[in-house]
Amino acid sequence: MLKRGEACTECRRRKLKCDGAKPGPCNQCAANNRECRYEQPPPFVPVSTVLQQRIEELEERLKNLTDSHPHVEINEEILLISDGNTPLVPPPEMAGPWWEMETLAAPVRNYLVGIFLANKHHCQFYIDVPRFLMSLANPGLQQPHPGLMEAIYLLACYFTSRLAPDQNLEKHEGHFLARARKALADSLSFSDRLLDFLKGSNLVTAYLYMRGRFLEAYHSHCGTASCALSCGLHSIRSGVYSEDPSGTASTPSLLPPPRDQAELSERILTFWPIYYWDKLGAIITGFVESFVADPASTECIETPFPRPIEEYHRGVAGRYDYDTVRRLLEEHPLDTNDTSDNYFHFGLHLKALTLLDSASRFGKLYSTRSDTVVKKRLASVQAVAMRFAQNLPPVPDPEVEEEMVDLDQTPFHHQGTNASLKFRDVFLAHTAAYAAIIEAYTCMSESDVHARQMCTFAARKAVELIPKYRFSDFGRSCMSPAYCWAAAAEVLGQHYKRVKEAIGQGSGADDNAQQGLVDTEGELRLLARATKQVHKYYCTLAFQAQQIDQVFIDIGLDVEDPVVGVC
């Protein structure tokens, strides 16, 4: 039995069983007349050494930038705002009609960019921040495209309206949305800085989804996803740069091959937020997805799940090139989802959403077309979802997470630490994984006792997580938990009804059954309170909140703080 990482490069890429013969060729490569190569595992480097090297590298880059660009101090101002090291005070240049300027004054731009960078995790936006800030000082076409910058200003206005009422810029959202759309249309028309187009367009999609403008969001996303596919971002085979274009991409692209490791990582980290909104939109609204997450399809995503930016910089992200959507859904052991530190929190969140989307799709197909193929795929999703949930890193208890803070007591531009983001995404991955189990078994629960038990188990596991994630944090999470909690409430409502009927018929009239009713009611009320807390920030989640209220009505319980109407 080979240890992890001992198979040859070709067998790992093709997911074949390798005998590890060295110096080679192995049995598979010999049989198929392929070049057999083995990669040497990178030497172990202590985390403290890596961090120190990274600090020295950033200090050197900042020094070079300061020497070559006299106006680089504006970037330091942005970093101070985004890190929460200075009071968030609008610059004097915002006293007049600052928004009417074709190019915003530098202090205004810095203020808005700083606000956006402090909150970029809410829209799942991952970039190399030092590289981005350096690009602001570049001349002409080497700067970020105006379409991206206008989208950043739009999101900055949105974040102030949601998280800092005393500095509300909500009234300017429409203005910057119009400017962003016009600039992005120009970018696409002239194929000008297409990666910036994809980033900016995806930010507009995120804004529209968060504002509950679902049809507009879907229209925006379809164009973004189509361009991403045309640019080949879904078929990047490796996270390590190669001068041979065929080594990293498998389809033709509108973009030229990446010139270095930084450009390659930028493309990977541009793709996955687009994929995220594709799956989240499909889950919450039922819209047709743009990206195929089906291992049986030849169009399945080939790009490896994202890794931390630091791993791309060090050129070690390639050790996870096997970690793809296809592998996730093919019932392979989830090597990267253990309790060690080799996982990336955003990657876990993406995998959980992928499983939830697959479970939802095949569950609906089973209800209308329960043929052999659908049954097999559904059984596969059930097995993968269960194993994924079991192998996830545990959600830490809040009292032992020293770096976690109460967000209601923290200015919004101080939020978004690595600890809080890792905590949030691990929590969301668990919640979505249990929702995937519910979706995969619900279609069978009417006639299958085991399916009902699995649904109830998953619903209760989702409820158990809620006390670990303080109510003050829910507004800063995302929209997906509300969908998951509504699914859990439906299951627990049905369970409550069955127990109550059994007691009424005399078959379950004992103290344990009565206590079971009390416990289930408590679980339902916890789900309702958590969902309504998220609804305060995303008013379009009224449907999920009302769905849970209806569960209470159906089983004869009083509704606390009923949700009426929508946005």
Side-chain angles (χ1 to χ4, degrees):
M1 176 69 70
L2 291 181
K3 294 182 181 180
R4 180 179 164 194
E6 291 184 350
C8 74
T9 304
E10 197 67 19
C11 287
R12 290 175 62 190
R13 187 174 71 83
R14 296 173 181 269
K15 286 85 175 178
L16 298 174
K17 187 173 182 181
C18 180
D19 63 1
K22 293 184 180 179
C26 69
N27 57 336
Q28 296 285 357
C29 292
N32 293 280
N33 195 27
R34 287 192 291 263
E35 181 184 1
C36 188
R37 293 180 293 107
Y38 290 86
E39 293 181 352
Q40 292 296 324
F44 173 76
V45 180
V47 174
S48 58
T49 303
V50 173
L51 292 176
Q52 184 60 42
Q53 292 173 347
R54 182 65 180 145
I55 291 172
E56 293 172 358
E57 178 186 344
L58 290 175
E59 288 176 344
E60 182 64 24
R61 290 172 67 179
L62 182 61
K63 180 179 181 299
N64 293 338
L65 182 62
T66 306
D67 293 341
S68 58
H69 295 285
H71 302 295
V72 76
E73 62 271 11
I74 61 173
N75 295 342
E76 296 179 5
E77 178 184 343
I78 295 173
L79 282 174
L80 290 175
I81 295 173
S82 65
D83 288 343
N85 294 326
T86 59
L88 193 61
V89 179
E93 288 81 357
M94 296 185 75
W98 55 272
W99 61 91
E100 295 181 356
M101 299 180 62
E102 182 176 350
T103 302
L104 298 187
V108 176
R109 180 197 65 181
N110 299 346
Y111 177 74
L112 295 178
V113 170
I115 291 172
F116 170 78
L117 291 178
N119 294 276
K120 65 184 186 300
H121 50 280
H122 295 304
C123 45
Q124 311 298 336
F125 189 78
Y126 291 87
I127 57 170
D128 182 341
V129 173
R131 189 166 184 255
F132 171 73
L133 295 181
M134 284 192 289
S135 71
L136 295 179
N138 289 341
L141 296 179
Q142 297 178 33
Q143 291 185 357
H145 192 277
L148 173 57
M149 296 306 298
E150 299 293 350
I152 286 174
Y153 303 151
L154 167 65
L155 266 297
C157 292
Y158 168 80
F159 291 134
T160 60
S161 68
R162 286 299 176 103
L163 305 176
D166 57 324
Q167 293 153 349
N168 196 318
L169 299 176
E170 180 178 10
K171 63 183 179 181
H172 301 303
E173 289 179 19
H175 175 74
F176 285 110
L177 177 59
R179 285 174 54 152
R181 282 172 163 164
K182 182 179 184 303
L184 290 169
D186 291 342
S187 171
L188 189 59
S189 297
F190 297 102
S191 295
D192 181 12
R193 287 163 279 184
L194 286 180
L195 275 183
D196 284 353
F197 165 80
L198 290 169
K199 294 174 191 172
S201 186
N202 195 51
L203 287 178
V204 170
T205 297
Y207 165 78
L208 293 171
Y209 268 124
M210 291 189 291
R211 275 297 186 205
R213 297 160 65 170
F214 291 156
L215 286 176
E216 291 178 85
Y218 183 61
H219 181 268
S220 171
H221 169 72
C222 287
T224 309
S226 177
C227 184
L229 291 170
S230 298
C231 290
L233 300 191
H234 66 300
S235 58
I236 300 174
R237 291 176 172 172
S238 176
V240 177
Y241 171 72
S242 170
E243 293 185 359
D244 178 10
S246 63
T248 55
S250 61
T251 60
S253 170
L254 291 178
L255 297 173
R259 293 173 295 181
D260 52 30
Q261 182 66 44
E263 283 195 6
L264 176 66
S265 63
E266 182 182 15
R267 296 184 186 191
I268 295 174
L269 294 175
T270 296
F271 170 74
W272 284 109
I274 301 172
Y275 177 92
Y276 169 87
W277 288 106
D278 181 69
K279 296 306 171 190
L280 188 64
I283 291 167
I284 291 181
T285 67
F287 291 146
V288 177
E289 62 232 350
S290 299
F291 298 118
V292 177
D294 184 352
S297 172
T298 57
E299 298 178 355
C300 188
I301 305 299
E302 296 183 24
T303 303
F305 280 108
R307 302 296 306 168
I309 292 177
E310 294 75 15
E311 292 190 12
Y312 293 111
H313 288 167
R314 288 159 36 213
V316 298
R319 68 178 72 173
Y320 300 106
D321 285 349
Y322 65 88
D323 193 21
T324 62
V325 168
R326 189 185 301 276
R327 181 179 176 84
L328 172 69
L329 297 176
E330 281 184 340
E331 300 189 61
H332 286 282
L334 302 182
D335 301 325
T336 60
N337 296 331
D338 55 24
T339 55
S340 66
D341 288 332
N342 68 342
Y343 66 88
F344 181 37
H345 53 88
F346 181 44
L348 293 185
H349 194 174
L350 287 167
K351 292 176 184 180
L353 286 181
T354 300
L355 287 173
L356 178 53
D357 173 63
S358 295
S360 178
R361 280 191 296 112
F362 285 107
K364 291 172 183 174
L365 272 176
Y366 181 87
S367 301
T368 58
R369 198 193 93 199
S370 56
D371 57 34
T372 304
V373 174
V374 173
K375 287 181 179 179
K376 183 178 179 181
R377 291 297 298 123
L378 185 60
S380 175
V381 172
Q382 291 169 347
V384 172
M386 178 59 72
R387 188 165 60 251
F388 180 85
Q390 292 171 341
N391 290 341
L392 279 170
V395 179
D397 293 317
E399 59 267 19
V400 301
E401 190 72 12
E402 296 181 359
E403 295 185 69
M404 294 296 295
V405 295
D406 187 340
L407 296 184
D408 276 353
Q409 304 300 321
T410 307
F412 79 93
H413 61 298
H414 287 235
Q415 300 163 16
T417 65
N418 285 335
S420 64
L421 291 183
K422 188 173 290 189
F423 182 94
R424 180 200 70 172
D425 280 330
V426 171
F427 172 87
L428 294 174
H430 274 274
T431 302
Y434 291 127
I437 295 172
I438 292 172
E439 291 282 4
Y441 281 99
T442 295
C443 57
M444 303 176 175
S445 60
E446 288 288 336
S447 57
D448 190 322
V449 175
H450 174 68
R452 285 200 298 271
Q453 292 173 341
M454 292 302 298
C455 288
T456 305
F457 161 80
R460 286 187 159 149
K461 295 296 286 185
V463 174
E464 286 177 10
L465 296 172
I466 294 177
K468 292 190 175 187
Y469 201 31
R470 292 176 300 280
F471 277 176
S472 60
D473 295 353
F474 284 138
R476 280 78 168 181
S477 56
C478 75
M479 294 183 285
S480 64
Y483 177 91
C484 303
W485 293 330
E490 291 278 0
V491 170
L492 292 177
Q494 291 296 322
H495 177 73
Y496 184 95
K497 186 183 297 185
R498 286 193 297 270
V499 174
K500 191 173 182 180
E501 288 175 354
I503 293 174
Q505 295 169 1
S507 59
D510 56 26
D511 292 341
N512 289 336
Q514 293 290 347
Q515 185 60 45
L517 281 182
V518 173
D519 293 343
T520 303
E521 179 180 349
E523 291 167 334
L524 284 167
R525 295 203 180 279
L526 188 57
L527 287 168
R529 287 197 295 272
T531 303
K532 289 172 183 178
Q533 185 70 19
V534 179
H535 169 248
K536 291 179 181 179
Y537 292 90
Y538 299 107
C539 62
T540 50
L541 295 177
F543 175 78
Q544 282 74 27
Q546 291 168 349
Q547 190 177 351
I548 296 179
D549 285 350
Q550 188 60 47
V551 170
F552 278 82
I553 294 171
D554 291 343
I555 61 179
L557 295 177
D558 294 332
V559 178
E560 298 176 351
D561 301 323
V563 175
V564 180
V566 293
C567 292

